[in-house]
Amino acid sequence: MKITGFELFKVRPRWLFLKVDTDAGISGWGEPVIEGKADTVRTAVEELMGRIMGGDPRHIEEHWNTLYRDGFYRGGPILMSAMAGIDQALWDIKGKALDVPIYELLGGKTRDTIKVYSPLEREPLEDLVQAARDARDAGFTAAKMNGCAEQMQIIDSHQKIDRAIHRVAAVREAVGDALDIGIDFHGRLHKPMAKVLAKELEPFHPMFIEEPVLPEHNDALREIARHSSIPIATGERMYSRWDFKSLLADGVVDIIQPDVSHAGGITECKKIFSMAEAYDVAAAPHCPIGPIALAACLQVDACCYNAFIQEQSITSIYNDDIDLLDYLTNREVFDIKGGQLQIPTGPGLGIEMNEDYVREMATQSHEWKNPTWRHQDGSIAEW
């Protein structure tokens, strides 16, 4: 079997899909994208695919190592996201060729379903609280909310701390113990304020606090952990096992969150999860993007003991007017029941792409960019 060609589709709301073709008539799909940098990743995929054209798509480790090691510059969000989408597509081809789901090629599954959380994305506060009630009523047992509705400078007013605490308190009061609540700070805090918030959030029993600081400040996690017993999660902006190595060795993280579309794909994330298991660290893959990325996450979740919850954007209100499931012909594969997603059992990724719809949506494309945020004094705020 040989790789004979590939196509890229930039589709709304902010995704990039990759289709890899073979001379056996089997095609595989991947999702290589950095949100807001889709065109940059597209170019990287085109450059990298040139290195493996004509190769056997089933030789996944060989191709991964060629793409990663056969170049002076390596790693980082763009190259690793490009590699991730290629890797997903090659696994999809191999699974389809052998008529088995990918997890069967990675040692078999350890679970039939995985818990997912509902994204609580509404504002103002009364709408956020209603979103939590809606998630509970829909059968979710976990949800994740934004920890801050406003930007914080390195040292900021305790009034902002009080407002952040009030938000969490309101959600907890609305749903009681019915929802496990993750609190995501998106790296928008700095160490001084993160220490205060981590301590004051304890009475509300969060499931975890996510990215209290940016990954370039991971050394601050040690001191943040001293101020709170809440599990600390991070890793969505870390891109390889080498990025995670010191974080795990330092013992300052409880949950890692690599993104299977950003951190080198299925091949690399399986290794990252296994590294984390050796340190008794849980895994909760980051996935606020499209259906191919989610399918890839579920294949890794299936065969990794320490995976405990999965992010999903099926129920996101930020998918524009796009239904993520319209990109599939077997949309029932992502039916959330009782706050759980079934692990897909079909060959390869276990999804069937609606290629006509993909091509139609690619004619619309997108130019998604994150907004620019500023502090009250006009200085740029962390995104």
Side-chain angles (χ1 to χ4, degrees), residues 199-218:
K199 182 177 181 180
E200 296 203 16
L201 283 170
E202 280 193 317
F204 306 102
H205 303 147
M207 178 169 52
F208 56 76
I209 52 173
E210 178 176 339
E211 273 198 329
V213 292
L214 289 165
E216 51 260 46
H217 300 309
N218 275 346

Side-chain angles (χ1 to χ4, degrees), residues 154-172:
I154 298 176
I155 299 294
D156 215 321
S157 165
H158 205 286
Q159 292 177 349
K160 290 186 179 180
I161 297 287
D162 290 341
R163 287 194 288 268
I165 296 297
H166 177 64
R167 285 165 52 80
V168 177
V171 171
R172 176 56 78 199

Side-chain angles (χ1 to χ4, degrees), residues 270-329:
K270 177 70 163 69
K271 295 174 182 178
I272 294 169
F273 281 33
S274 295
M275 286 174 59
E277 185 182 355
Y279 288 92
D280 203 23
V281 169
H286 179 252
C287 188
I289 43 179
I292 305 172
L294 179 57
C297 285
L298 293 172
Q299 294 296 322
V300 180
D301 292 333
C303 59
C304 291
Y305 175 79
N306 54 333
F308 84 102
I309 199 167
Q310 175 62 56
E311 183 171 22
Q312 55 82 27
S313 61
I314 299 169
T315 59
S316 172
I317 66 171
Y318 290 121
N319 284 349
D320 198 3
D321 57 347
I322 302 301
D323 183 344
L324 174 152
L325 301 181
D326 285 343
Y327 285 103
L328 308 178
T329 59

